């Protein structure tokens, strides 16, 4: 990052902006930094920012890129949103409630902006890819400064510079893109682990899901760029990576030289100094035998697989356009467990999809009972305008859905408490992630299977992998004791 900073510092902004990326963005980082310097002189203090992230890991990773750019521009991070000069919401629209939270918080920001003449508000992420959202913002939320989407976050510095120059709302939304811009700044939230995008977008069009509309078509990053990024991260202290994509199992299909996800994993496995590899999300329809084999033989791939089932009813799965049956899913689970017996399985389930009958719901309950997930994210179906499911007949009444949801949650939780406790009195290798939130004598670490354990230790352990004896299961986490002192 230091080299990049020096390079940017030497740019002459009196010249024209270059056309090619990433150099064009380096130019605008320099330009925006001069505006920020001037504004900060006027204010008599450094200017600050606060990025709030909604939604999935994809957004979390995007936010790290936003933070990287903001810091290069000269803003300082402020964790308290009420005090920040630049508030950015990186939004999610996968379910309606994610959407409503953003409007609610925006209302509060209006008052804050009246009091602070330097304040700016930026909105980006998946919600901004929906035209009706941007229309609403234009008419009822004039006080927003910058609006951009998921395809052009790399242009953030350019948009900030434009905002300083125009003093008007800057809106830049692209419908889709085939572009992937490499080598931009990014600031990691954790020093020892990092998300790494391996692909963007989604081509699956599950009938309930808005993601393919707001994240565009599937495109894979070049393996060389991925490896280079991970090597750099490792050199910078990272021991665990989470490979990110909406459907990692279809990685590489659109590359000039096609490559499978399993092949990519094998290359990443060879990176020296990297200790742990995670990935998400796996679509059951594309999970290959080759991948199972690679997982079985890997020393670094974590013993955890997130395998969203969505529904246990073949009929509903068909309407969801998931392209597998209940039996195929169960067979896949069987194959994985046979190859990797200690694997922890987690899933996503939607309750109340249009047309879901009590029988369909019982099929879902049956899958839950058969698979016995370590944990499951359960969602109430949310109608997303523009998706095929939104106009399907037989939308299910709220009270019926709620009743099913409660039954499912109860089942999922009682199974997961049983499943989680089986590791009691074993030794596990644990990556220490943080001090414990509630007790300063304890640290919190993550096992390969994604479960958390709290045990006595201090801040010097953070980022280290240690052996921990699991003394007691407390439902969804453990209390343990460290056995070796690193
Ligand atoms: N690409 C991932 C999922 C991304 S969205 C996959 O295919 O598994 C994360 C989860 O949100 C989904 O797995 C699904 O369970 C849930 N979800 C997506 N759209 C939804 C909707 N309209 N209503 C309720 N839950 C939804
Ligand atoms: Fe949505 Fe399906 Fe794509 Fe996942 S695979 S992001 S659920 S369309
Ligand atoms: Fe939400 Fe976008 Fe992720 S809609 S779940 S933030 S891809």
């Amino acid at each position: 990052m230091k080299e990049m900073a020096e390079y940017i510092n030497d740019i002459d902004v009196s010249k024209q902006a270059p056309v090619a990326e990433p150099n064009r963005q380096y130019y605008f980082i320099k330009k925006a930094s001069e505006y920020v310097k001037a504004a900060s002189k006027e204010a008599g203090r450094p200017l600050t920012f606060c990025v709030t992230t909604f939604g999935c890991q994809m957004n979390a990773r995007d936010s790290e890129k936003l933070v990287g750019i903001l810091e290069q521009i000269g803003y300082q991070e402020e964790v308290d949103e009420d005090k920040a000069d630049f508030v950015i919401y990186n939004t999610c629209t996968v379910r309606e409630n994610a959407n409503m939270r953003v409007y609610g918080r925006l209302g509060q920001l209006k008052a804050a902006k009246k009091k602070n003449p330097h304040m700016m508000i930026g909105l980006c992420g998946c919600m901004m890819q929906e035209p009706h959202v941007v229309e609403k913002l234009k008419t009822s939320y004039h006080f927003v400064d910058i609006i951009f989407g998921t395809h052009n976050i790399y242009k953030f510095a350019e948009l900030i510079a434009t905002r300083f120059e125009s003093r008007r709302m800057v809106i830049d939304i692209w419908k889709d893109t085939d572009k992937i811009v490499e080598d931009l700044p990014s600031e990691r939230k954790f020093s020892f682990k990092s998300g790494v995008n391996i692909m963007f977008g989604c081509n699956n069009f599950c009938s309930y899901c808005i993601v393919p509309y707001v994240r565009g078509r599937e495109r894979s990053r070049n393996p060389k760029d991925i490896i280079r990024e991970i090597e750099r991260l490792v050199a910078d202290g990272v021991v665990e990576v989470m490979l990110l994509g909406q459907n990692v199992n279809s990685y590489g299909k659109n590359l000039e030289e096609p490559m499978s996800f399993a092949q990519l994993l094998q290359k990443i496995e060879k990176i020296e100094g990297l200790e742990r590899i995670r990935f998400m999300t796996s679509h059951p329809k594309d999970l290959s035998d080759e991948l199972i084999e690679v997982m079985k033989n890997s020393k670094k791939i974590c013993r955890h697989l997130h395998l969203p089932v969505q529904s246990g009813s073949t009929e509903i799965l068909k309407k969801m356009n998931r392209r597998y049956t209940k039996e195929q899913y169960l067979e896949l689970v069987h194959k994985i467990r046979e190859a990797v017996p200690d694997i922890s399985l987690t899933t996503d389930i939607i309750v109340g999809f249009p047309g879901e009958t009590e029988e369909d719901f019982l099929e879902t309950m049956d899958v839950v009972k058969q698979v016995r997930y370590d944990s499951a994210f359960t969602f109430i179906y949310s109608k997303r305008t523009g998706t095929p499911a939104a106009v399907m007949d037989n939308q299910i009444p709220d009270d019926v859905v709620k009743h099913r949801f409660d039954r499912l949650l109860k089942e999922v939780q009682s199974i997961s408490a049983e499943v989680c406790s089986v590791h009691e009195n074993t030794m596990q290798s644990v990556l220490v992630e943080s001090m414990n939130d509630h007790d300063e004598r304890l640290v919190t670490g993550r096992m390969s299977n994604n479960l958390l354990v709290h045990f006595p230790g201090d801040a010097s352990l953070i980022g280290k992998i240690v052996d921990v004896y699991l003394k007691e299961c407390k439902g969804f986490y453990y209390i343990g004791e460290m056995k070796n002192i690193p």
Side-chain angles (χ1 to χ4, degrees):
M1 205 58 87
K2 187 157 170 274
E3 288 159 40
M4 193 189 292
E6 280 166 12
Y7 177 83
I8 291 171
N9 202 31
D10 291 341
I11 295 173
D12 179 359
V13 285
S14 64
K15 292 198 179 136
Q16 278 233 316
V19 177
E21 299 294 2
N23 287 14
R24 184 176 172 85
Q25 292 316 308
Y26 296 161
Y27 172 93
F28 281 109
I29 287 174
K30 176 75 189 288
K31 204 161 192 193
S33 76
E34 294 190 347
Y35 291 124
V36 169
K37 222 181 272 166
S40 137
K41 207 166 162 196
E42 202 180 288
R45 57 182 171 79
L47 293 193
T48 58
F49 73 88
C50 177
V51 177
T52 303
T53 312
F54 300 83
C56 66
Q57 306 247 9
M58 218 61 78
N59 259 16
R61 181 71 186 129
D62 284 350
S63 287
E64 293 185 340
K65 296 175 187 167
L66 299 176
V67 171
I69 293 171
L70 285 162
E71 292 193 342
Q72 287 283 335
I73 288 177
Y75 281 102
Q76 292 185 5
E77 182 149 25
E78 165 60 66
V79 283
D80 185 352
E81 185 181 293
D82 297 333
K83 292 191 191 140
D85 298 297
F86 194 176
V87 172
I88 295 107
Y89 288 163
N90 190 3
T91 62
C92 168
T93 187
V94 77
R95 286 170 291 273
E96 184 65 25
N97 53 5
N99 235 294
M100 295 320 291
R101 276 167 58 205
V102 169
Y103 288 123
R105 291 177 69 152
L106 266 183
Q108 294 165 5
L109 283 186
K110 188 177 179 182
K113 200 172 171 184
K114 281 207 178 110
K115 288 192 211 132
N116 179 358
H118 294 285
M119 186 162 170
M120 294 215 288
I121 300 170
L123 296 176
C124 61
C126 296
M127 225 176 123
M128 302 305 128
Q129 293 294 138
E130 295 182 280
H132 68 91
V133 170
V134 176
E135 273 317 304
K136 183 164 168 169
L137 292 169
K138 274 204 276 197
T139 48
S140 314
Y141 295 82
H142 313 260
F143 53 95
V144 173
D145 297 278
I146 301 178
I147 299 177
F148 57 106
T150 56
H151 301 303
N152 54 350
I153 70 159
Y154 74 87
K155 275 184 72 181
F156 191 32
E158 184 170 346
L159 300 175
I160 295 174
T162 311
R163 174 65 187 80
F164 273 111
E165 283 157 15
S166 74
R167 308 240 150 219
R168 290 169 52 191
M169 190 192 255
V170 175
I171 304 181
D172 192 6
I173 315 276
W174 300 358
K175 264 189 125 82
D176 203 349
T177 184
D178 52 9
K179 201 162 162 168
I180 297 177
V181 179
E182 299 286 348
D183 296 327
L184 283 167
S186 143
E187 191 60 40
R188 288 197 314 278
K189 197 166 165 200
F190 300 96
S191 59
F192 51 87
K193 67 170 183 178
S194 180
V196 173
N197 299 108
I198 62 166
M199 58 206 297
F200 303 94
C202 180
N203 284 354
N204 286 309
F205 292 95
C206 302
S207 64
Y208 51 81
C209 185
I210 194 127
V211 171
Y213 305 89
V214 296
R215 286 274 170 178
R217 294 294 58 74
E218 189 177 287
R219 32 207 202 280
S220 297
R221 270 178 85 193
N222 204 314
K224 281 204 191 77
D225 292 327
I226 298 171
I227 304 283
R228 191 175 52 146
E229 179 177 348
I230 300 176
E231 282 171 350
R232 280 187 189 160
L233 287 169
V234 169
D236 199 30
V238 164
V239 290
E240 177 180 304
V241 290
M242 165 78 91
L243 309 177
L244 298 171
Q246 294 299 350
N247 176 10
V248 290
N249 297 319
S250 68
Y251 172 80
K253 287 185 182 156
N254 59 359
L255 287 171
E256 255 171 49
E257 289 172 47
M259 166 187 265
S260 69
F261 178 54
Q263 286 166 335
L264 177 71
L265 277 172
Q266 283 170 297
K267 280 187 185 286
I268 296 175
E269 172 106 17
K270 292 201 188 100
I271 298 176
E272 225 167 288
L274 180 68
E275 308 266 359
R276 282 180 165 187
I277 305 168
R278 299 184 185 277
F279 52 84
M280 80 187 305
T281 300
S282 283
H283 195 305
K285 81 175 162 62
D286 296 316
L287 201 148
S288 65
D289 291 348
E290 186 196 11
L291 176 64
I292 297 176
E293 196 56 29
V294 168
M295 288 183 76
K296 180 179 164 179
N297 298 323
S298 168
K299 300 252 174 327
K300 296 186 179 175
I301 300 174
C302 287
R303 282 1 204 176
H304 171 221
L305 186 65
H306 186 62
L307 195 62
V309 65
Q310 314 297 4
S311 168
S313 151
T314 296
E315 198 58 34
I316 294 294
L317 286 168
K318 199 164 172 203
K319 289 188 188 151
M320 286 179 160
N321 192 30
R322 290 290 289 181
R323 288 173 272 175
Y324 52 84
T325 62
K326 177 188 182 188
E327 289 69 31
Q328 283 166 336
Y329 183 89
L330 290 173
E331 171 58 26
L332 183 61
V333 166
H334 178 71
K335 262 202 289 194
I336 294 163
R337 284 228 166 104
E338 211 162 44
V340 192
D342 56 346
I343 198 149
S344 146
L345 287 176
T346 58
T347 200
D348 292 346
I349 301 169
I350 297 176
V351 180
F353 184 83
E356 184 189 73
T357 61
E358 177 64 17
E359 287 70 38
D360 291 321
F361 173 70
L362 291 176
E363 297 275 12
T364 300
M365 290 287 264
D366 184 48
V367 168
V368 166
K369 285 179 196 155
Q370 288 201 45
V371 177
R372 296 179 61 77
Y373 294 104
D374 288 70
S375 75
F377 295 102
T378 49
F379 304 109
I380 287 181
Y381 167 72
S382 172
K383 196 175 182 171
R384 308 315 289 133
T385 310
T387 62
V391 291
M392 283 181 187
D393 294 338
N394 265 326
Q395 302 278 332
I396 312 294
D398 289 351
D399 55 333
V400 176
V401 179
K402 183 77 179 62
H403 184 55
R404 287 181 193 159
F405 182 82
D406 291 345
R407 281 146 72 203
L408 176 68
L409 192 63
K410 214 169 134 206
E411 188 66 48
V412 159
Q413 285 181 341
S414 86
I415 292 176
S416 122
E418 285 171 30
V419 174
C420 291
S421 68
V422 302
H423 307 287
E424 224 168 51
N425 300 320
T426 63
M427 287 290 283
Q428 298 280 338
S429 135
V430 167
L431 171 57
V432 184
E433 296 199 336
S434 60
M435 293 304 294
N436 186 281
D437 289 342
H438 305 291
D439 186 339
E440 60 188 25
R441 288 163 302 177
L442 302 181
V443 291
T444 300
R446 197 177 292 274
M447 308 178 209
S448 172
N449 64 15
N450 216 30
L451 284 175
L452 293 179
V453 52
H454 308 290
F455 58 97
D458 59 45
S460 68
L461 292 173
I462 294 174
K464 298 208 165 81
I465 294 182
V466 294
D467 288 332
V468 175
Y469 181 74
L470 305 182
K471 290 204 298 195
E472 193 190 350
C473 179
K474 295 271 193 188
F476 306 104
Y477 63 90
Y478 278 93
I479 298 295
E481 198 169 52
M482 200 164 67
K483 286 294 178 190
N484 63 342
I485 309 291

